[in-house]
């Protein structure tokens, strides 16, 4: 019965790793870009998922918020279907090897690979106070996250592609300097690799503001937000991201959550207006997350179960991570 992570590894299946930051409750973009595929991949891969709190502190957070956000994301992931029987779910800071391997990779990473990256440049341009070393170095820690598990498949949204490129460069350089250790990493993208803001469809949906649908929103809040979502000029419900960015974004969301091809949805609304379309979409989104909200409410009362999951996840993650770290250190000549 090949259904534990160890069995899957033994059967030659590739390893999947992904991380999500405990900054605020996940939004629809996080769900459709990353979490939905993370859940589906559990069927056939060894999956390891980290709540990456060491990444979250690159932007200032109050201590009590970091604790609460970490608890919240763990509950969200469990309620959305990350299954600790099939996958490893853990909190990044519980496995010290992440910080240690990141430091080691710092020694082989030129600053020029990091300071040219779009996400770094954009964030520091918006807020110059964010210009800490941690923000610059973020992709090196992300590389350590992935390579500690020798993961080759990484489900992410499109914004993470530059970071995956850096991870592959660091892996190549390590292999070149110290001998073949790491295989190339493939990013796994979905059709919903970039869900846009409901208020400004040229910007991606993010965790700040209410231009996004948070998984913490009630069915009523979801309906209100979808009804308020901006639309494009002209009344046609047609997928055309260039000409109709707002409606195309809503069609992507509708398609991903209903399982219907976008072309079929276009036909369903031929000759109808935005109001009908948005009413139905609001219902689709609210219904889709109804089970999630119920499961999450149950889990929230089961602190013992959740801490058990995290203790077990950290132990299983550390067993793999420590082995890789040891191999890296031996290859580099650290006295063992
Ligand atoms: P974060 O909340 O930044 O840790 O992001 C977690 C995952 O969600 C990453 O894989 C991101 O690429 C993905 N993601 C974030 N925003 C979006 C979005 N608007 N559309 C699709 N994927 C996204
Ligand atoms: N950088 C990712 C984000 O902002 C989160 C992340 C950290 C991650 N480590 C990772 C994603 C490793 C994939 C693999 O969303």
């Amino acid at each position: 019965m090949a259904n534990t992570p160890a069995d899957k590894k033994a059967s030659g299946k590739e390893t999947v790793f992904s991380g999500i930051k405990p900054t605020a409750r996940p939004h629809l973009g996080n769900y459709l870009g990353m979490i939905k595929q993370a859940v589906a991949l559990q069927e056939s891969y060894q999956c390891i998922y980290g709540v990456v709190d060491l990444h979250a502190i690159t932007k200032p957070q109050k201590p009590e918020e970091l604790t609460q956000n970490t608890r919240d994301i763990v509950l969200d992931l469990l309620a959305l279907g990350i299954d600790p029987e099939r996958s490893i779910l853990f909190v990044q800071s519980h496995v010290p090897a992440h910080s240690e391997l990141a430091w080691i990779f710092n020694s082989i990473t030129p600053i020029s690979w990091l300071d040219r990256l779009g996400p770094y440049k954009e964030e520091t341009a918006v807020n110059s106070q964010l210009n800490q070393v941690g923000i610059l170095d973020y992709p090196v820690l992300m590389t350590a996250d992935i390579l500690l598990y020798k993961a080759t498949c990484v489900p992410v949204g499109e914004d993470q592609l530059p970071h995956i490129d850096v991870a592959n460069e660091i892996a190549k350089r390590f292999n070149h300097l110290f001998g073949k250790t790491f295989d190339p990493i493939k990013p796994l993208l979905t059709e919903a690799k970039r869900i846009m803001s409901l208020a400004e469809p040229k910007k991606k949906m993010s965790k700040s503001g209410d231009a996004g649908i948070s998984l913490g929103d009630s069915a009523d809040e979801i309906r209100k937000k979808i009804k308020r979502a901006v639309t494009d000029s002209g009344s046609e419900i047609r997928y055309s991201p260039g000409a109709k960015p707002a409606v195309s974004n809503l069609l992507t969301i509708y398609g991903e959550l209903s399982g219907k091809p976008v072309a079929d949805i276009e036909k369903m609304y031929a000759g109808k207006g935005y109001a009908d379309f948005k009413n139905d979409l609001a219902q689709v989104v609210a219904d889709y997350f109804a089970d999630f909200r119920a499961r999450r409410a149950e889990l929230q009362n089961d602190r013992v179960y959740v801490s058990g999951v995290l203790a077990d996840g950290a132990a299983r993650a550390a067993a793999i991570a420590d082995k890789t770290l040891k191999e890296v250190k031996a290859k580099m000549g650290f006295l063992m």
Side-chain angles (χ1 to χ4, degrees), residues 18-23 27-35 52 138 155-160 192-196 204-207:
S18 196
I20 181 161
K21 291 193 297 270
T23 40
H27 54 71
L28 202 51
N30 296 135
Y31 179 70
L32 293 176
M34 192 282 261
I35 304 171
V52 290
Y138 183 106
V156 278
E158 190 181 52
D159 60 329
Q160 297 303 311
K193 55 187 183 290
R194 193 174 175 82
I195 293 293
M196 309 311 276
K204 78 171 176 130
M205 189 179 282
S206 75
K207 283 179 178 165

Side-chain angles (χ1 to χ4, degrees), residues 100-117 133 135-144 147 162-163 165-174 177-178 182 332:
E100 194 172 347
L101 187 61
W103 177 256
I104 289 175
F105 285 159
N106 276 336
S107 67
I108 62 164
T109 307
I111 293 175
S112 63
W113 289 2
L114 306 174
D115 66 4
R116 61 169 190 225
L117 290 180
V133 175
I135 289 228
L136 177 70
D137 202 30
Y138 183 106
V140 178
L141 178 58
M142 189 167 154
T143 306
L147 295 184
H163 298 154
D165 289 343
V166 167
N168 273 317
E169 290 306 313
I170 296 175
K172 254 197 265 166
R173 182 168 277 197
F174 186 91
L177 292 171
F178 303 109
F182 301 113
M332 292 179 78

Side-chain angles (χ1 to χ4, degrees), residues 25 212-226 282 285-287 289-290 292-293:
R25 296 289 301 278
I213 291 178
S214 159
L215 299 193
D217 289 343
S218 67
D220 261 1
E221 284 166 320
I222 292 175
R223 280 190 208 98
K224 277 192 201 132
K225 283 185 180 177
I226 296 211
V285 183
D287 288 353
F289 290 105
F292 156 75
R293 285 188 294 272

